[in-house]
Amino acid sequence: MHPTRKAALTAIALLAVATAGCEPGATGTASHRSSAAPGCPAALARAKQAVKKAEAVDAPWTGPTTGPEAAGSGKSVVFIAHDLSNPGPAGVAQGAQEAAKLLGWSVRTLNGQGTDAGYRSAFQRAVDLKPDGIVLAGFDSGSVAAEVKKAKAAGIALIGWHAAPAPGPSGDPELFTNVSTRVEDVGKTTADWIIARSDGRAGVVLFTDATVAFAKHKSDLIEKGLAACPDVKVLSYRNVPIPEVNRRAAGEVRALLARFGDKWTYSAAINDLYFDHIDSALRAAGKDGAGAPYNIGAGDGDPSAFQRVNGERYQAATVPEPLTEQGWQIIDEFNRAFSSEPASGYVSPVHITTAANSGGALSWDSEGYRQAYRKIWGK
């Protein structure tokens, strides 16, 4: 097993601003692994096949194997994180710093503090530092449109991490590339896991943050994927902005249990952080950490999520981002930009981590990425 799947990073907590709850008012019953035949045999068979593929470990490296040798030492990059309490961008920043050090580059990290004003302030500071490159990590680049124009006018290369709707080069906003998994794949895989694990019969609660367009789109895709199976019911679609999760988790869980009771058998959240707070509320309600509701986080796969999954403590699965690997990819993409070569076009595959396939690890990254990038860079 490769080295990034061992000891812990640090982190916890996460992103954005506030708004209130929403739900479609779906009712309907569901039971875990009912003996009755599911009403979606074709969808169930497809979901089980997709989940089996996504749960595979130690798959061969499918990323770039060619590219420019490392640009000269002394390059500087400023990494603007959505919020440094957010384990996603914090983990990517750590990976970028690790890779940059190998090349003799510097990476300075700034905290966007989870607000538009914070992003703009951090971005202006970044431009004033006159770096070779700036990373926009975990926030909508549209919130810093004016600052992006200033950076482009100054000849600063821009790369996003979850900063645009899709991975790859972006014209609006103008990014050399945007590094992320495909949100469509993450949403579909999360829904497939629920369908497959429940044998096509589940009562699901979805948790989202509608203040973040990317997050809301992800949860909408999960809901759409679940609709492939009529015996999988979305009981409630809860809008709980990430900064409010800690404060609202206990009340949300009490209200959901009062309304749905044992009909609530599965949960999916746009980020693992939700279960960092919901687990204590479920424990207080007397729920078994290894029992229903079976919870899956559709990102980011921070160490605390792996600990819950490994210990079967109120989280059964996560669809993790390969955070350290994506930090290395960002440095490789900057190296391509500095060498006037196109972006790699690489998009990391979606993976599902459970207690059965994690091997006790606290993170997930593709096999062999460090060796591949070092060979490309001549390091």
Side-chain angles (χ1 to χ4, degrees):
M1 182 164 290
H2 62 74
T4 58
R5 273 179 240 166
K6 293 180 182 172
L9 307 168
T10 51
I12 279 193
L14 217 355
L15 112 84
V17 258
T19 200
C22 61
E23 71 182 60
T27 54
T29 63
S31 60
H32 179 59
R33 300 188 184 279
S34 167
S35 59
C40 58
L44 177 59
R46 179 196 54 75
K48 287 187 173 182
Q49 184 176 15
V51 167
K52 182 178 180 181
K53 180 179 179 181
E55 288 181 342
V57 297
D58 296 336
W61 171 247
T62 58
T65 55
T66 61
E69 290 190 1
S73 62
K75 295 291 186 182
S76 63
V77 171
V78 177
F79 189 104
I80 304 173
H82 156 266
D83 191 323
L84 284 176
S85 66
N86 178 342
V92 177
Q94 182 173 328
Q97 290 165 350
E98 178 185 282
K101 183 177 181 181
L102 186 68
L103 303 185
W105 299 3
S106 66
V107 174
R108 178 169 178 173
T109 303
L110 301 180
N111 190 352
Q113 301 179 357
T115 67
D116 286 353
Y119 309 147
R120 288 191 292 269
S121 175
F123 208 113
Q124 186 56 59
R125 287 173 59 200
V127 172
D128 291 344
L129 290 169
K130 299 181 180 179
D132 298 289
I134 295 175
V135 183
L136 293 70
F139 60 93
D140 184 356
S141 54
S143 62
V144 289
E147 289 74 15
V148 165
K149 290 181 180 178
K150 290 180 183 177
K152 295 301 294 185
I156 300 171
L158 301 177
I159 288 178
W161 181 80
H162 289 276
S170 172
D172 184 19
E174 190 173 350
L175 302 175
F176 179 74
T177 195
N178 180 53
V179 175
S180 76
T181 49
R182 289 188 179 89
V183 66
E184 294 83 3
D185 294 344
V186 174
K188 178 177 177 297
T189 298
T190 302
D192 282 342
W193 181 86
I194 292 174
I195 292 171
R197 195 187 188 287
S198 69
D199 283 334
R201 292 185 179 276
V204 185
V205 173
L206 297 180
F207 295 98
T208 194
D209 183 341
T211 69
V212 180
F214 180 88
K216 181 61 165 59
H217 180 47
K218 185 192 295 185
S219 56
D220 287 346
L221 289 167
I222 296 171
E223 183 181 37
K224 180 180 178 181
L226 294 173
C229 198
D231 290 328
V232 174
K233 309 293 185 181
V234 175
L235 303 176
S236 186
Y237 191 167
R238 304 300 302 157
N239 176 28
V240 184
I242 289 170
E244 299 180 14
V245 175
N246 186 26
R247 176 175 60 83
R248 290 177 52 181
E252 290 285 336
V253 168
R254 282 196 300 269
L256 289 164
L257 287 173
R259 181 174 179 184
F260 300 112
D262 290 342
K263 295 176 184 178
W264 176 16
T265 56
Y266 283 80
S267 309
I270 51 93
N271 194 284
D272 292 306
L273 174 74
Y274 285 79
F275 303 120
D276 189 47
H277 301 293
I278 288 171
D279 66 348
S280 58
L282 290 170
R283 185 181 301 109
K287 290 292 183 178
D288 181 359
Y294 301 95
N295 299 322
I296 181 169
D300 288 323
D302 66 277
S304 66
F306 275 76
Q307 289 169 347
R308 288 189 297 276
V309 169
N310 293 342
E312 297 183 296
R313 299 196 307 270
Y314 303 99
Q315 185 167 350
T318 180
V319 184
E321 294 281 342
L323 300 176
T324 305
E325 174 193 328
Q326 288 175 336
W328 278 62
Q329 182 183 350
I330 285 170
I331 295 304
D332 180 66
E333 302 292 2
F334 272 126
N335 191 55
R336 294 168 191 269
F338 299 156
S339 302
S340 300
E341 294 204 12
S344 72
Y346 176 59
V347 180
S348 50
V350 171
H351 177 72
I352 299 173
T353 292
T354 67
N357 72 351
S358 75
L362 296 175
S363 63
W364 164 260
D365 293 298
S366 300
E367 194 74 27
Y369 71 94
R370 283 185 173 90
Q371 298 91 320
Y373 284 126
R374 292 187 69 142
K375 185 175 180 181
I376 291 171
W377 302 336
K379 295 291 182 176

